[in-house]
Amino acid sequence: MADSNLLPELKTSLSPIRTRRTMAFAYGFMLIFMACTILLLFNPSAYAPGLFRNIFRSSLSQSSSSHRSQFSSIFSYIFLNSSSLKHSNHTFYNSQNTTFQSPLTVDRSNLTALTRNNSSVLCSSGNERTEENWLDSMMHCDIFDGKWVRDYSYPLYAAGSCPHIDEPFNCYLNNRPDSGYQNYRWQPKGCNIPRLKGGEMLELLRGKRLAFVGDSLNRNMWESLVCILRNSVKDKSRVFEASGRQEFQSEGSYSFVFKDYNCSIEFFRSPFLVQEWEMDDINGSKKETLRLDVIGRSSDKYKNADFLVFNTGHWWTHEKTSKGKGYYQEGSHIYDELNVSEAFRKALTTWARWVDANVNPMKTLVFFRGYSASHFRGGRWNSGGQCDNENEPIKNETYLWKYPSKMRVLESVTKGMKTTVFYLNITRMTDYRKDAHPSIYRKQNLNEEERRSPLRYQDCSHWCLPGVPDTWNELIYAHILIRHKQKQKQQRQKEKKKICLRCMTKD
């Protein structure tokens, strides 16, 4: 009888013990769950659902500037749309005329770039929070809304130090007497873009191809980047043009190899992005046309590059294209007359369809550099227009031009693309810089006619190097760097999630 009473008494005595263990486990689980929730709340993962991420978006405010692009900042798109990493079928900007208000900026002088484990790491005294703050400031920043500020730490390479600048851009060797145009940097209103450090960009480009495709303004930008990167390489013999060429105006494509990094910086001439064409005329001669429905001839050579930077624009202002009479062709049909804006739209649509069909968005980042402002006064490029004796940027915004209608066409076309395209809207920032063109310092040896009338032959479209195109390349660098840092951030967040899950499983 005593034995039969022992078991119930034992169960009764053990019951509180089981209850306490259950309660302890429940409290522990709740604490871990709350900790993980707080972690995600203050550090939301880019892999979280879009609706969750949208909670953390900053509000947009309308921009009244007619010069500002109808797209938002490229950096806002990187952070607010994971499609910049996953390449969804959305275009890269909001079509509304918007800008981001930045509550947060980071002192440029406190940002130090370090190279760690063969990757560029942006930090301030090793403080991860400073990096997070800088990324956040870029996320909310319209980098194209700003001003030029005097900065004597520029240029990024010494004038006369780069042998790969073509004569028309080499104002230093062409004896331009002033150099103040070299000592400026672009300062956005709400953030600081990182200074381009050649060695760190080369690390980001290790084993990759970066190709510029377009007209001579993109060649201007290509030569700028070659010089910036070359300046950081100790053994200059390890940097060379693949075919051994020393001038870059005659052939259709060029490629600079950075041997120690197994990377190349390339240029493909395609001023319209579609094909210039020749066909037999009625009288047996050759007739030049522009095939609006056929992509440029070199497209198979650059479609697999890791980074593509396209442009077109200036050639559409020339007489033949602007008049549009008997020049534009689709299939076998030649238009008697076609408005240049409509022709431009057709050409860009051909380019957009080609990109969507041929460029792998999981491998290749696509940029489109916008229209670069010219500053001819008293005429055009072929009728005595001038820009000599200009040595200061424009200070009064009322003297800036309206946003080009062709770039609105570009925005409309890219909006319908499956591939993410990052638009570098450099029109406004270049419009300020009437001081930085080669003007009469475009060549050393003038011919007889040029010597008689030197002021008639000026270049007010292209840019002296070092100069303005260096800043365009800083924007490319900033994008690549931020994308790299965003991937690192996502990896850290994945690891934190794994730690939380392991703790929960263990308990």
Side-chain angles (χ1 to χ4, degrees):
M1 187 71 178
D3 290 341
S4 62
N5 292 332
L6 180 61
L7 185 57
E9 291 176 2
L10 183 60
K11 288 181 179 180
T12 304
S13 63
L14 290 176
S15 180
I17 298 175
R18 286 200 304 270
T19 302
R20 286 195 295 271
R21 287 181 178 176
T22 302
M23 293 297 293
F25 175 80
Y27 283 125
F29 179 83
M30 289 177 62
L31 287 172
I32 293 169
F33 177 79
M34 290 174 64
C36 289
T37 301
I38 292 170
L39 176 66
L40 291 174
L41 183 63
F42 289 100
N43 210 353
S45 170
Y47 292 95
L51 181 62
F52 180 75
R53 288 200 311 274
N54 288 343
I55 296 172
F56 303 97
R57 293 192 182 188
S58 294
S59 60
L60 302 176
S61 63
Q62 293 295 320
S63 167
S64 60
S65 172
S66 62
H67 301 276
R68 195 166 300 161
S69 165
Q70 289 190 353
F71 296 140
S72 307
S73 159
I74 60 175
F75 302 119
S76 304
Y77 181 80
I78 296 170
F79 290 99
L80 303 183
N81 254 304
S82 60
S83 58
S84 65
L85 298 175
K86 298 179 182 178
H87 295 278
S88 76
N89 58 357
H90 295 291
T91 50
F92 56 106
Y93 289 125
N94 191 313
S95 62
Q96 299 301 312
N97 188 17
T98 56
T99 184
F100 287 89
Q101 300 300 315
S102 174
L104 182 60
T105 57
V106 178
D107 186 354
R108 187 184 182 93
S109 63
N110 287 338
L111 293 172
T112 306
L114 304 176
T115 299
R116 182 181 302 160
N117 298 326
N118 289 330
S119 63
S120 178
V121 180
L122 186 73
C123 62
S124 173
S125 304
N127 190 334
E128 185 178 303
R129 177 50 55 187
T130 301
E131 178 184 309
E132 294 282 339
N133 290 346
W134 180 77
L135 291 173
D136 186 67
S137 75
M138 298 304 290
M139 181 181 76
H140 297 86
C141 183
D142 180 358
I143 60 169
F144 307 112
D145 183 20
K147 62 181 180 180
W148 292 94
V149 297
R150 180 74 76 175
D151 188 334
Y152 289 100
S153 70
Y154 282 74
L156 298 173
Y157 51 98
S161 67
C162 183
H164 306 308
I165 300 175
D166 276 326
E167 183 182 33
F169 310 148
N170 204 331
C171 302
Y172 175 82
L173 290 186
N174 295 339
N175 300 310
R176 177 169 173 167
D178 63 309
S179 61
Y181 65 91
Q182 301 172 15
N183 309 128
Y184 285 93
R185 65 174 172 83
W186 180 248
Q187 178 61 61
K189 290 181 179 178
C191 59
N192 297 298
I193 58 175
R195 182 185 178 93
L196 198 168
K197 298 188 177 181
E200 290 158 8
M201 185 166 185
L202 282 168
E203 286 293 349
L204 292 170
L205 297 177
R206 184 179 288 277
K208 301 183 184 299
R209 295 173 60 201
L210 191 157
F212 294 89
V213 183
D215 59 24
S216 55
L217 270 298
N218 248 19
R219 178 163 56 85
N220 210 176
M221 186 179 182
W222 168 69
E223 292 182 16
S224 160
L225 184 58
V226 168
C227 290
I228 293 170
L229 299 181
R230 178 186 180 274
N231 189 54
S232 68
V233 176
K234 291 183 179 179
D235 185 354
K236 302 295 192 282
S237 68
R238 305 283 288 174
V239 180
F240 52 87
E241 203 283 319
S243 300
R245 287 171 289 193
Q246 300 298 316
E247 65 85 25
F248 313 110
Q249 301 180 65
S250 57
E251 300 296 327
S253 64
Y254 305 91
S255 175
F256 264 92
V257 176
F258 288 77
K259 195 73 174 177
D260 293 334
Y261 297 88
N262 188 31
C263 73
S264 60
I265 310 298
E266 306 169 26
F267 171 72
F268 293 86
R269 181 187 178 276
S270 185
F272 298 103
L273 298 181
V274 292
Q275 276 195 32
E276 297 171 273
W277 199 261
E278 276 190 352
M279 62 181 300
D280 294 329
D281 206 350
I282 298 175
N283 58 11
S285 62
K286 294 291 184 182
K287 178 180 178 62
E288 292 183 350
T289 64
L290 187 65
R291 286 293 300 269
L292 301 176
D293 56 339
V294 181
I295 197 68
R297 288 184 176 85
S298 300
S299 57
D300 282 344
K301 297 179 181 178
Y302 59 71
K303 68 180 182 181
N304 292 319
D306 299 278
F307 305 94
L308 287 170
V309 185
F310 292 96
N311 96 294
T312 188
H314 279 267
W315 281 55
W316 295 87
T317 65
H318 293 183
E319 184 176 1
K320 193 180 295 186
T321 47
S322 61
K323 288 185 176 180
K325 294 183 177 181
Y327 182 58
Y328 297 122
Q329 179 179 353
E330 284 187 291
S332 60
H333 175 69
I334 299 176
Y335 290 91
D336 291 334
E337 187 171 356
L338 184 66
N339 178 273
V340 64
S341 294
E342 182 58 25
F344 186 73
R345 181 184 298 278
K346 287 176 177 288
L348 281 185
T349 300
T350 296
W351 165 80
R353 289 172 179 166
W354 177 87
V355 169
D356 279 343
N358 293 274
V359 174
N360 178 4
M362 302 304 294
K363 168 182 167 61
T364 303
L365 278 184
V366 180
F367 297 87
F368 198 107
R369 182 186 57 74
Y371 192 82
S372 171
S374 299
H375 294 92
F376 292 99
R377 64 173 189 271
R380 301 183 65 189
W381 66 276
N382 59 350
S383 59
Q386 301 176 12
C387 58
D388 61 307
N389 295 324
E390 299 286 2
N391 53 28
E392 291 286 339
I394 292 174
K395 300 289 175 50
N396 189 338
E397 293 185 5
T398 60
Y399 292 110
L400 301 179
W401 290 94
K402 292 182 179 180
Y403 187 63
S405 61
K406 288 185 179 65
M407 293 299 96
R408 297 195 186 279
V409 172
L410 169 67
E411 295 180 5
S412 174
V413 170
T414 53
K415 232 169 78 171
M417 293 177 67
K418 294 185 298 182
T419 306
T420 299
V421 175
F422 298 97
Y423 174 43
L424 300 176
N425 180 17
I426 51 86
T427 301
R428 184 178 175 84
M429 68 166 63
T430 55
D431 203 358
Y432 286 103
R433 296 305 305 275
K434 63 184 175 64
D435 60 313
H437 298 289
S439 66
I440 60 175
Y441 304 102
R442 62 188 182 85
K443 61 190 300 186
Q444 288 181 312
N445 301 313
L446 303 178
N447 60 37
E448 186 61 32
E449 184 178 0
E450 290 168 334
R451 278 196 293 271
R452 286 197 302 268
S453 305
L455 297 183
R456 286 188 56 198
Y457 298 92
Q458 297 196 24
D459 183 353
C460 306
S461 295
H462 299 96
W463 303 94
C464 296
L465 293 179
V468 170
D470 301 337
T471 297
W472 306 345
N473 285 311
E474 284 197 303
L475 300 179
I476 294 283
Y477 169 67
H479 177 88
I480 296 173
L481 176 64
I482 289 175
R483 186 172 181 271
H484 172 73
K485 298 307 301 174
Q486 180 69 355
K487 284 185 174 180
Q488 288 186 331
K489 179 181 177 181
Q490 291 174 350
Q491 188 59 38
R492 289 196 301 268
Q493 290 169 345
K494 276 186 175 181
E495 292 171 357
K496 289 176 182 178
K497 282 183 179 179
K498 288 179 181 178
I499 292 172
C500 283
L501 290 174
R502 282 200 298 266
C503 290
M504 292 168 66
T505 303
K506 184 177 179 181
D507 289 337

